[in-house]
Amino acid sequence: MLEWDLNALFEDTEELETFTQETIRLADEFKQKYEKNLTHLNKEEFLTSLKTYEILNENTARIMTYVYLCFAKNTLMGDFYAEYEEKCKKIEENLLFFELEFCELEEAKSGEFIDFCEDYQFYLENLLKNKKFNLSQKEERVLLYLSNTGANAFSRLFDESMSALKIDFEGKKLSEEEILSKLYHSERKVRKKAAKSFTKALKKNASLLNFIFNMIKTELKNICHLRGYESAETPRHLRNQISKKSVDALILSAEKSYYLVEDFYQIKKQILGFKELKDYDRYAPLGKEANFSFEESKEIVLKAFKSFDSRFENIAKEAFEGGWIDVYPKENKQGGAFSHSATSTAHPFVLLNFTNQRRDLFTLAHELGHSIHQKLSYNVSFLNQDTPLTTAETASVFAEMLVFDYVKNKLKNEELIALYAAKIEDIFATLYRQISFTCFERRIHKESNELKKEQINAIWMEESAKMFGKSVKLTKNYAFWWSYIPHFIHSPFYCYAYSYAQLLVLALYGLYKSGKCENFKELYIKMLSRGGSLSPKELISVFGFDVEDENFWQFGICEIEKLLKEFKIKALKC
């Protein structure tokens, strides 16, 4: 199956509407029964109310999952998406009081509830930790109703605009995914032309994309002011359940090792025989680039997962056979890739835009890693299911490493060189590029006023240049390439989570390959199965790692150094 089977959620829009109206009714009933009454409940009654609250939230997630997936397949369905956003706001409004009132309970009462509700302790404790950032119920209601016309609306506008973007290239109209795939072409003139064509298309939308970014920045600033957050990145750290100190340590460790990026690209420049390596040359293939069809990629992923653990293989098989994956680019389909966790009543859904490139193989592995993590997380209740971003990438990056190790043992000489180079570049993109993105966002969000595109361009170029050093020359065209990055719009300060996960996984994968942890597989799958029911620090501690230790990140960087050393040796042999 090459497209989603959404029947796992709803058979049709009629069933969707019936379910939505019933959930609206139940949410209203819930509010009537429990609002301003939590303090009078006993332990058993509170647990009942909490489980009902959870069911209603899961119902809402099921509705919006279906609606969002329809929109992702066809971004012209914005009116359909907006219709159900509004309906779900009615549900959310009736549920709004619950967490707020819990946080206002007397300490003895809330402590009694937490002790009794064993499966929800971490969730309830987190509510209390963030209590100081809550507004009044009336204020929260206003923010809830305005959300669809604020950042969410601009995110939708961004998605619709980028999906509709058509890039002129050699007499054809290409999508974003198709033009970016040209940057991996073996011929330099094709890469250069693709970069120019993409830049030209982005510049046509410059005013719109610049305005969207400014509105995202402005709303976040206002939210931080209203809630009393220290900075624009504070709410992200809280959701990720880590401290700014640990993020600073991560960024510092990465910046100190930027020399690895410069070292690699200097070698690449020599191998390619270029006097200068331009930004559009970064992904130029070395050696003999291997292409993989979807069927070939499917077979590789299943075998790689099986070599690790049959549970990985079985979930991936279920995904391939059960309509979990929408594979190929289509007119008006959302770009990029994702795995949507949906709800335990269905299964995760994976979006791809597969173009038979080597990187598509690893994207497939990455997103299926997410799906495996999400599926295993159904083991805990819905309120504990979602992992913070800092651990959400754990299985996805691990899955990529499994596929890399499997494929490298099947290739020789020039194909092996190509694979190593591509893998190192993928790691750089996941680690160093995301750190560069985060430093860029930090500077953007520190500016109190709206920024002109020329100002954003300058900051973008300065932060990008730090990563490459003297190894890559950034052209003028590259200055506007911040404007197509979706995470800046959808989830400000999301990007460092990729870096966090990359180094974390490299440390974990190094431990796995060393054989020093005999029960690694059981510990690892158990960690994934806990979802977000424990903090990242607690989840990782079972492996003997302390993510708050500044020296921890060096474990991952050492693995990169090993990989780069292997690449140098193999490159010299060829």
Side-chain angles (χ1 to χ4, degrees):
M1 298 183 69
L2 302 177
E3 296 188 43
W4 287 325
D5 179 7
L6 297 183
N7 286 338
L9 292 162
F10 298 103
E11 290 186 3
D12 51 36
T13 55
E14 183 178 344
E15 185 184 2
L16 167 71
E17 178 61 16
T18 300
F19 185 84
T20 302
Q21 292 303 322
E22 176 63 8
T23 304
I24 291 172
R25 186 190 69 78
L26 291 172
D28 181 66
E29 187 178 280
F30 177 82
K31 181 180 180 181
Q32 297 299 323
K33 184 173 182 179
Y34 291 111
E35 187 177 27
K36 298 180 181 178
N37 194 35
L38 295 189
T39 190
H40 303 299
L41 301 179
N42 60 36
K43 295 179 295 186
E44 291 80 6
E45 289 169 337
F46 177 76
L47 180 58
T48 298
S49 72
L50 180 58
K51 288 184 174 180
T52 306
Y53 175 75
E54 179 176 52
I55 291 169
L56 292 170
N57 274 282
E58 187 165 11
N59 286 356
T60 307
R62 181 179 167 189
I63 294 164
M64 286 312 301
T65 295
Y66 181 87
V67 172
Y68 174 69
L69 295 178
C70 289
F71 173 74
K73 282 206 65 166
N74 181 5
T75 55
L76 297 180
M77 295 182 66
D79 54 345
F80 176 69
Y81 187 71
E83 176 187 351
Y84 279 89
E85 273 191 322
E86 288 302 313
K87 290 176 180 178
C88 284
K89 283 292 175 283
K90 294 178 182 179
I91 301 168
E92 292 168 3
E93 182 187 5
N94 284 327
L95 303 180
L96 185 62
F97 76 91
F98 188 79
E99 292 184 354
L100 296 172
E101 284 192 23
F102 172 77
C103 288
E104 294 304 319
L105 292 173
E106 291 183 2
E107 186 176 341
K109 189 76 171 179
S110 61
E112 178 187 2
F113 288 164
I114 290 173
D115 290 339
F116 184 73
C117 302
E118 293 183 6
D119 293 338
Y120 299 90
Q121 286 181 355
F122 184 70
Y123 162 74
L124 294 172
E125 286 169 354
N126 266 342
L127 292 182
L128 293 180
K129 283 181 183 178
N130 295 319
K131 172 182 175 179
K132 65 179 180 178
F133 302 114
N134 291 342
L135 301 177
S136 70
Q137 188 172 332
K138 287 184 178 180
E139 290 170 320
E140 295 285 3
R141 181 175 180 272
V142 170
L143 290 180
L144 176 67
Y145 265 86
L146 291 177
S147 62
N148 287 349
T149 53
N152 287 350
F154 284 109
S155 293
R156 177 182 146 197
L157 177 60
F158 176 86
D159 287 343
E160 290 182 3
S161 300
M162 293 305 296
S163 295
L165 191 69
K166 297 300 174 188
I167 300 98
D168 292 319
F169 186 80
E170 297 182 343
K172 297 181 180 179
K173 298 282 187 180
L174 301 185
S175 67
E176 175 191 337
E177 292 293 328
E178 291 169 327
I179 196 69
L180 289 176
S181 71
K182 300 295 182 185
L183 297 178
Y184 295 79
H185 201 279
S186 59
E187 293 185 29
R188 195 180 200 191
K189 63 181 181 180
V190 174
R191 298 193 301 273
K192 183 178 181 180
K193 187 173 183 180
K196 285 185 175 181
S197 298
F198 188 44
T199 302
K200 185 177 179 181
L202 290 175
K203 283 183 175 179
K204 285 182 180 178
N205 290 270
S207 296
L208 174 64
L209 295 172
N210 185 68
F211 182 71
I212 291 173
F213 197 11
N214 271 296
M215 290 302 98
I216 295 295
K217 180 177 81 73
T218 301
E219 182 180 272
L220 181 54
K221 180 185 74 172
N222 292 339
I223 292 294
C224 289
H225 173 72
L226 289 171
R227 295 193 181 278
Y229 292 128
E230 181 182 346
S231 72
E233 61 191 88
T234 300
R236 179 64 61 196
H237 301 332
L238 290 170
R239 284 193 289 273
N240 285 343
Q241 299 167 20
I242 57 173
S243 65
K244 181 178 180 296
K245 180 182 177 182
S246 66
V247 176
D248 290 341
L250 166 65
I251 291 174
L252 183 61
S253 295
E255 288 183 325
K256 282 182 178 178
S257 61
Y258 272 166
Y259 68 88
L260 293 172
V261 180
E262 188 168 9
D263 188 17
F264 171 78
Y265 281 112
Q266 292 288 14
I267 296 170
K268 184 166 189 174
K269 179 170 63 176
Q270 292 173 17
I271 294 173
L272 290 171
F274 293 164
K275 185 176 180 181
E276 282 186 325
L277 198 68
K278 303 290 184 70
D279 53 82
Y280 51 78
D281 293 319
R282 286 171 298 152
Y283 302 122
L286 294 180
K288 184 180 179 182
E289 181 70 3
N291 292 327
F292 301 92
S293 69
F294 181 69
E295 283 302 314
E296 290 170 328
S297 298
K298 172 183 172 181
E299 182 179 354
I300 289 168
V301 166
L302 288 175
K303 288 181 178 178
F305 285 3
K306 184 179 181 179
S307 69
F308 174 66
D309 191 273
S310 60
R311 285 164 287 190
F312 267 49
E313 179 197 21
N314 291 338
I315 294 175
K317 273 186 179 178
E318 192 178 351
F320 285 122
E321 296 169 4
W324 294 22
I325 310 173
D326 198 277
V327 179
Y328 295 110
K330 296 182 184 68
E331 186 80 11
N332 299 313
K333 180 180 175 181
Q334 184 174 313
F338 63 69
S339 178
H340 194 300
S341 62
T343 72
S344 60
T345 58
H347 52 69
F349 289 84
V350 173
L351 179 137
L352 301 174
N353 280 277
F354 205 92
T355 56
N356 296 330
Q357 303 292 314
R358 185 274 321 162
R359 64 193 180 100
D360 293 318
L361 164 64
F362 286 94
T363 298
L364 173 63
H366 182 100
E367 300 305 339
L368 282 176
H370 275 307
S371 293
I372 290 167
H373 195 176
Q374 291 158 353
K375 178 74 170 178
L376 290 171
S377 293
Y378 292 166
N379 181 64
V380 294
S381 61
F382 181 75
L383 293 177
N384 290 313
Q385 184 179 304
D386 287 343
T387 58
L389 295 177
T390 39
T391 49
E393 297 294 333
T394 308
S396 56
V397 180
F398 195 91
E400 287 188 62
M401 292 303 297
L402 290 173
V403 169
F404 172 74
D405 266 358
Y406 178 84
V407 173
K408 80 176 185 182
N409 293 326
K410 307 295 180 184
L411 302 179
K412 294 181 180 180
N413 301 327
E414 290 190 1
E415 284 188 340
L416 188 58
I417 293 300
L419 180 72
Y420 262 90
K423 185 56 188 171
I424 291 169
E425 287 167 351
D426 283 345
I427 290 174
F428 287 172
T430 308
L431 170 59
Y432 296 114
R433 188 168 180 248
Q434 305 304 321
I435 291 297
S436 176
F437 285 178
T438 301
C439 293
F440 165 74
E441 282 190 285
R442 280 183 162 183
R443 290 181 62 182
I444 292 295
H445 285 275
K446 279 182 180 178
E447 298 289 338
S448 57
N449 299 320
E450 283 193 29
L451 296 171
K452 295 181 179 179
K453 59 180 180 292
E454 290 79 13
Q455 294 173 286
I456 301 177
N457 290 355
I459 295 171
W460 171 257
M461 292 293 273
E462 288 169 15
E463 292 302 327
S464 298
K466 290 178 184 178
M467 180 177 74
F468 295 112
K470 296 179 181 179
S471 63
V472 175
K473 178 178 175 57
L474 300 177
T475 64
K476 291 181 180 179
N477 284 328
Y478 191 69
F480 200 62
W481 281 36
W482 55 267
S483 63
Y484 82 94
I485 307 298
H487 291 319
F488 296 159
I489 308 302
H490 295 309
S491 309
F493 296 101
Y494 180 108
C495 294
Y496 74 76
Y498 284 114
S499 308
Y500 188 108
Q502 181 69 77
L503 288 182
L504 171 60
V505 168
L506 286 172
L508 288 173
Y509 200 74
L511 179 63
Y512 161 60
K513 296 296 286 185
S514 73
K516 293 178 181 178
C517 182
E518 292 182 2
N519 61 336
F520 179 88
K521 293 179 184 180
E522 291 304 319
L523 289 175
Y524 183 69
I525 289 175
K526 184 178 180 181
M527 180 194 76
L528 298 180
S529 301
R530 296 303 299 267
S533 62
L534 291 173
S535 70
K537 181 179 176 67
E538 290 175 290
L539 287 170
I540 304 306
S541 65
V542 298
F543 298 100
F545 293 140
D546 181 2
V547 295
E548 295 293 331
D549 184 348
E550 292 184 12
N551 296 318
F552 166 71
W553 304 112
Q554 196 59 39
F555 287 111
I557 291 170
C558 286
E559 292 297 319
I560 300 174
E561 289 176 332
K562 289 179 188 177
L563 198 61
L564 186 56
K565 185 177 180 180
E566 290 177 20
F567 167 72
K568 287 180 180 179
I569 293 171
K570 295 181 186 301
L572 287 173
K573 285 183 179 179
C574 288

